[in-house]
Amino acid sequence: QVLLVESGGGLVQAGGSLRLSCAASGRTFSTYAMGWFRQAPGKQRELVATISSGGSTNYAVSVKGRFTISRDNAKNTLYLQMNGLKSEDTAVYYCAVPVLNYWGKGTLVTVSS
């Protein structure tokens, strides 16, 4: 199995920045596409950003231009740099290997306005 552990969540004011990390272990990190998802209370889990094994990225329209997904294969770590945070970004953020349906436990991001 693949173990995914998120970190870096916390409280931040609107307009601020946070960097989330996801440490992965188990299988070869570079083999699979990975992604960040989020879920706010009362809302469905939604895709935030994905990155392929080759480094190609995709973003939800709501975060495009503000968030950047990246991966460090040597460190088996996935990142999400979040800039210009808005109150509507408040959610639990999860990292995942979607093709394998592997998920971390999540890290809470709260943006005050």
Side-chain angles (χ1 to χ4, degrees):
Q1 65 172 268
V2 174
L3 178 64
L4 304 172
V5 181
E6 304 97 334
S7 62
L11 301 174
V12 63
Q13 292 185 1
S17 299
L18 283 175
R19 186 176 181 85
L20 306 184
S21 299
C22 175
S25 63
R27 305 187 70 176
T28 302
F29 179 79
S30 63
T31 302
Y32 303 105
M34 299 187 70
W36 288 97
F37 297 75
R38 67 186 182 186
Q39 187 168 28
K43 304 292 185 180
Q44 294 183 322
R45 184 175 295 180
E46 65 175 345
L47 184 149
V48 176
T50 60
I51 184 166
S52 74
S53 60
S56 298
T57 59
N58 287 289
Y59 298 91
V61 172
S62 60
V63 308
K64 194 172 300 181
R66 300 187 296 120
F67 291 10
T68 303
I69 188 171
S70 62
R71 63 196 300 165
D72 186 335
N73 290 339
K75 295 182 177 180
N76 283 5
T77 303
L78 179 73
Y79 301 98
L80 184 68
Q81 178 67 48
M82 304 184 294
N83 298 326
L85 284 162
K86 306 174 180 179
S87 60
E88 52 262 45
D89 295 319
T90 295
V92 176
Y93 284 71
Y94 302 87
C95 67
V97 184
V99 72
L100 298 178
N101 198 29
Y102 290 155
W103 298 82
K105 293 182 178 180
T107 185
L108 178 63
V109 172
T110 302
V111 183
S112 65
S113 61

